[in-house]
Amino acid sequence: MNKNYLLAPNFKIKLFGDVSERFLLHKIKSFHEAIEWIHQLPYGRNTNRADYLSIFDEFRGTCSTKHAILAALANEHHQDVQLKMVICKLDQNVDKTVGKLLLQLKVPYFPEAHCYIKCN
């Protein structure tokens, strides 16, 4: 795992809201532990994409739901963590599996949305 998360603030999780309650129920006590726990969850679309708390029921998530839950946790603790989104070009250099489809559709890339959190 990339250790860039060590640059994020590390705070003790306290019971400030629904998000912190769910992490505490899973015995996750710090923001860095939350990041590690979220990172190890498999990638997969949640049944309700608008409900990032579904990660705790389905034990999976996308970049959107995984980063949204971390941003919400940080915001409950009044930390300066922001949810961001970028649009990237997804081509065969990024993902070899799309090369055949790109050729069939005669397009050089697909636009791909990606979410992440920004600290400080």
Side-chain angles (χ1 to χ4, degrees):
M1 176 179 173
N2 185 326
K3 299 289 184 178
N4 283 342
Y5 74 90
L6 295 174
L7 299 172
N10 192 22
F11 52 86
K12 183 178 178 180
I13 298 174
K14 297 181 181 176
L15 187 55
F16 287 144
D18 293 340
V19 178
S20 53
E21 179 180 21
R22 296 298 290 270
F23 278 103
L24 289 169
L25 286 172
H26 283 82
K27 311 263 187 271
I28 299 165
K29 299 176 182 139
S30 74
F31 191 57
H32 285 185
E33 287 178 24
I35 292 171
E36 289 177 351
W37 187 80
I38 290 294
H39 178 77
Q40 62 82 33
L41 292 176
Y43 179 89
R45 296 225 180 270
N46 299 97
T47 306
N48 180 355
R49 293 184 206 176
D51 180 16
Y52 49 70
L53 287 173
S54 64
I55 282 177
F56 292 104
D57 302 320
E58 299 175 13
F59 296 101
R60 69 173 183 260
T62 62
C63 67
S64 301
T65 53
K66 287 181 173 190
H67 289 97
I69 196 85
L70 291 171
L73 176 63
N75 290 331
E76 280 187 359
H77 288 78
H78 307 288
Q79 298 293 314
D80 185 20
V81 173
Q82 302 158 6
L83 182 63
K84 299 284 189 172
M85 183 186 79
V86 295
I87 304 296
C88 308
K89 291 181 179 180
L90 180 62
D91 61 18
Q92 61 188 10
N93 295 324
V94 175
D95 184 344
K96 303 258 184 258
T97 63
V98 301
K100 190 175 183 179
L101 184 57
L102 292 170
L103 285 173
Q104 286 175 340
L105 297 173
K106 298 179 180 148
V107 295
Y109 62 87
F110 295 115
E112 172 79 4
H114 182 67
C115 291
Y116 65 97
I117 56 173
K118 182 178 183 225
C119 308
N120 303 331

